Amino acid sequence: MTSITYLEAIRAAQARALEEDSRVFIYGQDVGSFGGAFKATKNLAKEFPGRVMDSPISEDAMIGMAIGAAIEGMRPIIEMQFADFSTCGLNQIVNHAATLFYRTEVPCPLVVRLPCGGTSGGGPFHSQSLEAIYAHFPGLVVMTPGTVEDAYTMLLEAINIDDPVIFCEHKFLYYHLKAEALPTMALPSNKARVTRPGRDATVVTYSAMLHESLAAAAELAHDGYEIEVVDLRSVKPLDTDTILASVARTGRLLVVSEAFPWGGVTAEVIARVTAEGFGLLDAPPQRLNARDTPVPYHPALWGTHRPTASTIASALHRLLKL
Amino acid sequence: MNCKSITTGSTHELDGTLFCQAYRYMLTARLLEEKLAALKRSGKIVGGVFLGRGQEALSVALGIHLRKGDVYAPLIRDQAGRLAFGEGMLDALRTYLGSALGSMRGRDGNIHRGRPREGYFAMISHLGAMVSAVSGALIARRFRGETGIVGATCIGDGGTSTGSFHEGLNLAAIEKLPLVVVVANNQYAYSTPNSRQFACDNLVDRAIGYGITGHRVIGNDLANCLEVLQKAVAAARAGAGPQLVVADLLRLIGHADHDDASYITEAQKQSPLGRDCMIVAQQFLLEKNWMSQAELDSWQKEIEVEIEATTTRVLREPAPDPQEESWIPFATSHLHSESL
Ligand SMILES: Cc1ncc(C[n+]2csc(CCOP(=O)(O)OP(=O)(O)O)c2C)c(N)n1
Ligand SMILES: [Mg+2]
């Protein structure tokens, strides 16, 4: 039995896009013969000569170039070495790519791949989850796949979409998450998925926190609670219908994210549920985020900085008593 | 005219004492980094380990020409310069090992360390960012009427492609700040060769565009490094404005612990670029009779003993305790409460 990792799925999606669509090219630091810092473009430069190009360390120019190429009908994929460095290209992403269609009716089909999220010892500048920043700006699609299958199908969809897509890949999942094969069917990227059905409470989450939440749900099952876990898959657009339908079944809501707490995806989900589904709630909706400090380096600090299966389980126990 | 000449260094008499002092810092850096690599392999260090093997001569030549009161923002491969600026190996080991007693208290790690209050800035990862930050420190000194001060930072060939590097140097040039920027052109940024990084003949040519003085230096030749850096730092200190120093060399190790640097060509390794600055410096000081082999050997032993003792001490130090930790990232902590 062969197995495929989350990282290999991302590589495979790019290979397929390069194969099927001559407009696609990849640009990023060390993505060429080296295959990228995480090897997400391994061998692609060899397989697709001239279409997988090493960039200088110039994030602003990398995105600006992608915008120009997209205007001319290409489908650029930009790899940021780490999500954290995308802030050096923030202006081009949020002011140029995001506004282009609204201002000119010319689409801006580009994908910015962001290796996101914490790993042990990553520290403040190699750990950030920036989906909320990008989702804040009108005009950007923000995908946050949490499974191998979604990493594959959603990246293909991201490349096909006529809008700029911020594709948030979780570094921790790169090597740890495996599936038996690449999927043949795809759920559209704007749909959330009920990953685990339940009736006592809903956890809404995405990306690596999906797996921590599933582990917490499994733990609560030992105590006889049935926790429903909803994987957002994309944070923008946000599939409010699936969330509300779940809350209608359970009456209780916990939203979990690895990102910083202020504003953000968890706040957005709770705002929508309270505004549109207040009557469905049996208890005040709760949220769990990373702490409101930079991401610490030391594993002992990092381990308590972001949510884990055990803090999620505790939060669920509290929620069930509210 | 703003354009200044580009110097390549002359051949005035070298100071043997300074040379030997510099060599000792280099040796300490080399041995300390070998220890860091071993600690990483044995799982004691978590996260990346970024070493400056092959770049010690250039790094030390800057650090040793700075004084107390100057501002220094070292970058990835500057263990030798950090030691020369006065860091001591305790801070390095404490930061890598995440000791609660280190200057970064386990909150940041590895090369992202410093003591800004002492003019020793703590780099962020985002390349190029330190050029303008050091410039700001120099502007502050200027407001306070302090003169004779130098600010210095280092960067790699890859880092020169950032908008920050360009904006920072241009700003410093406009303000005629006493800034020294040392570019270690080790021919690669991670795996990316110079040919995919810039199209000018030599990065020192950029100095003309900024209207600042440019210097070239042989990055693995301590004698040349000391001479050129002495000149550049003195010029900045004397009010001649920003100085851009560009060194050619090779990093003799991977980008970080996980990289085998197989992209570095054999031809480059065999060329003068690939010479190990430790060997070049050692031969030089033996030839000059500044030191004997026996003295060098005893230095090595002394340093190894200090590294072992410091490592043992740091490994016994407490890790940061999440329960005790303040999770308020503000200086004005009374305005905030911890929120989850
Ligand atoms: C703005 C920015 N983009 C990307 C990175 C990721 N990164 C870290 S080191 C590095 C290569 C740096 O090369 P160079 O500046 O030549 O320094 P060297 O490693 O060769 O010493 C890259 C791309 C970064 N730190 N900052
Ligand atoms: Mg370099």
Side-chain angles (χ1 to χ4, degrees), chain B residues 156-158 184-190 251:
Chain B
D157 43 288
N185 182 1
N186 58 14
Q187 318 300 312
Y188 292 88
Y190 207 157
R251 99 170 116 65

Side-chain angles (χ1 to χ4, degrees), chain B residues 284-302:
Chain B
F284 192 83
L285 63 78
L286 289 174
E287 268 166 37
K288 289 270 182 194
N289 264 325
W290 285 334
M291 286 183 73
S292 67
Q293 187 61 51
E295 287 171 311
L296 286 177
D297 292 345
S298 81
W299 269 12
Q300 170 139 357
K301 287 214 185 66
E302 269 171 53

Side-chain angles (χ1 to χ4, degrees), chain B residues 46-59:
Chain B
V46 184
V49 170
F50 306 88
L51 305 180
R53 192 181 182 88
Q55 305 195 184
E56 293 94 340
L58 177 69
S59 181

Side-chain angles (χ1 to χ4, degrees), chain A residues 262-286:
Chain A
W262 206 97
V265 175
T266 58
E268 184 66 28
V269 169
I270 288 179
R272 290 185 188 208
V273 170
T274 43
E276 296 169 41
F278 193 73
L280 306 172
L281 288 162
D282 296 331
Q286 301 296 306

Side-chain angles (χ1 to χ4, degrees), chain A residues 29-30 57 59 81-82 85 88 126, chain B residues 55 76-77 125-127 155-160 162 184 186 188-190 251 255:
Chain A
Q29 291 146 24
D30 306 290
I57 306 177
E59 284 78 7
Q81 200 152 81
F82 285 80
F85 301 123
C88 294
H126 293 79
Chain B
Q55 305 195 184
I76 318 178
R77 309 193 194 281
S125 288
H126 300 60
L127 296 168
I155 198 158
D157 43 288
T160 66
T162 59
N186 58 14
Y188 292 88
Y190 207 157
R251 99 170 116 65
H255 172 69

Side-chain angles (χ1 to χ4, degrees), chain B residues 95-145:
Chain B
T95 307
Y96 264 104
L97 291 165
S99 164
L101 308 183
S103 59
M104 308 309 284
R105 296 158 295 152
R107 293 181 179 187
D108 208 342
N110 48 64
I111 51 183
H112 304 91
R113 64 180 192 270
R115 292 180 178 268
R117 247 190 259 283
E118 294 163 29
Y120 173 40
F121 279 21
M123 63 175 277
I124 67 167
S125 288
H126 300 60
L127 296 168
M130 303 316 285
V131 178
S132 51
V134 173
S135 299
L138 295 172
I139 297 241
R141 307 290 175 97
R142 192 168 76 187
F143 273 123
R144 292 204 299 261

Side-chain angles (χ1 to χ4, degrees), chain A residues 30 54 57-58 84 297-298, chain B residues 96 106-107 126 161 191-192 196:
Chain A
D30 306 290
D54 283 334
I57 306 177
S58 306
D84 312 60
Y297 163 73
H298 196 287
Chain B
Y96 264 104
R107 293 181 179 187
H126 300 60
S161 301
S191 75
T192 304
R196 295 292 306 169

